Amino acid sequence: SRETTNRHLTEDEYERLVDNSPRWLARVIRWACATGLDRGVIIGLRWADLELKRVNGRIISGTIRMVRPKTGKLIKQTLNERALEALRQASGVRHKDGIIFLSQNGQRIDDRYINRTLDAALERYGISGVSFRSFRHTFATRCVKKGIHATIIGEMIGDSSASVLERYMHTDEEMHDEAARLLSEC
């Protein structure tokens, strides 16, 4: 049974999961951890939702600007290299409806299918306390570690900064050590 704890993935867990999951799931995980977007937004995401710049057919940069259905807030994000790589990998197969992330057989991903496949992968690789929601936590925690302000993180995932601070940002020992080092320099 699925544990309900929401936590972020460590980099080791992330790498293990991405490297050993089916390619279609690895793309979704890579995108989710690189953008912090919800499962529902991701599985419904269309190429038309993105503004992409290509050189010789290769995606080199891009942005996403869309309303998050759950909150009605604007998602505003310049895509980072991890997100761009997920798009490059997904661009090989096109769906008639323009859906970006597709299942192994090139079809739209169903909620139950992604949950079942993810749960099996997590169990297989011995990763506990993680759900799809953990990828949103992973994104926010990475942002915090890089010093990105909560307001910007909130805009990137279509949430309020107070909500982001309370729900998604996690700290670890390394961050506390860095805080002590920075404060020692004052």
Side-chain angles (χ1 to χ4, degrees):
S1 80
R2 177 183 295 218
E3 293 182 42
T4 57
T5 356
N6 277 317
R7 65 173 183 87
H8 69 286
L9 291 171
T10 65
E11 284 303 314
D12 176 63
E13 290 171 329
Y14 169 80
E15 292 297 331
R16 206 168 2 135
L17 194 55
V18 167
D19 290 347
N20 296 295
S21 291
R23 277 191 293 209
W24 71 268
L25 181 59
R27 288 181 199 121
V28 171
I29 294 168
R30 185 174 281 117
W31 175 265
C33 290
T35 63
L37 298 180
D38 295 302
R39 180 184 59 227
V41 170
I42 293 171
I43 64 177
L45 194 64
R46 299 173 192 283
W47 290 103
D49 295 327
L50 306 175
E51 295 173 22
L52 300 174
K53 181 177 180 187
R54 297 173 189 263
V55 172
N56 297 326
R58 184 175 191 273
I59 300 168
I60 62 163
S61 65
T63 59
I64 183 168
R65 304 259 186 286
M66 65 184 294
V67 173
R68 181 175 173 217
K70 187 174 180 179
T71 62
K73 293 195 179 285
L74 181 65
I75 294 170
K76 186 168 59 172
Q77 193 173 143
T78 299
L79 301 176
N80 60 55
E81 187 54 38
R82 285 183 177 187
L84 293 170
E85 184 57 32
L87 289 177
R88 288 181 200 118
Q89 291 173 0
S91 68
V93 179
R94 295 293 179 145
H95 188 270
K96 63 181 174 61
D97 295 332
I99 300 292
I100 297 174
F101 297 102
L102 304 170
S103 68
Q104 190 165 334
N105 61 3
Q107 298 303 310
R108 188 180 197 130
I109 300 169
D110 174 83
D111 267 344
R112 290 181 312 240
Y113 179 65
I114 198 167
N115 285 338
R116 256 190 338 268
T117 308
L118 177 61
D119 287 347
L122 291 167
E123 187 174 328
R124 190 175 320 118
Y125 308 123
I127 302 171
S128 61
V130 170
S131 67
F132 199 94
R133 193 70 163 170
S134 299
F135 304 146
R136 195 167 171 85
H137 291 256
T138 300
F139 172 77
T141 301
R142 284 176 174 170
C143 289
V144 170
K145 284 183 176 183
K146 294 295 183 182
I148 299 170
H149 193 278
T151 302
I152 299 299
I153 299 169
E155 288 177 2
M156 291 170 76
I157 64 174
D159 220 321
S160 69
S161 59
S163 171
V164 169
L165 282 169
E166 290 175 20
R167 217 175 318 155
Y168 299 117
M169 296 180 185
H170 304 277
T171 60
D172 60 22
E173 204 60 39
E174 182 181 304
M175 294 168 76
H176 286 271
D177 292 346
E178 178 64 7
R181 186 190 69 71
L182 290 170
L183 289 170
S184 294
E185 294 174 359
C186 293

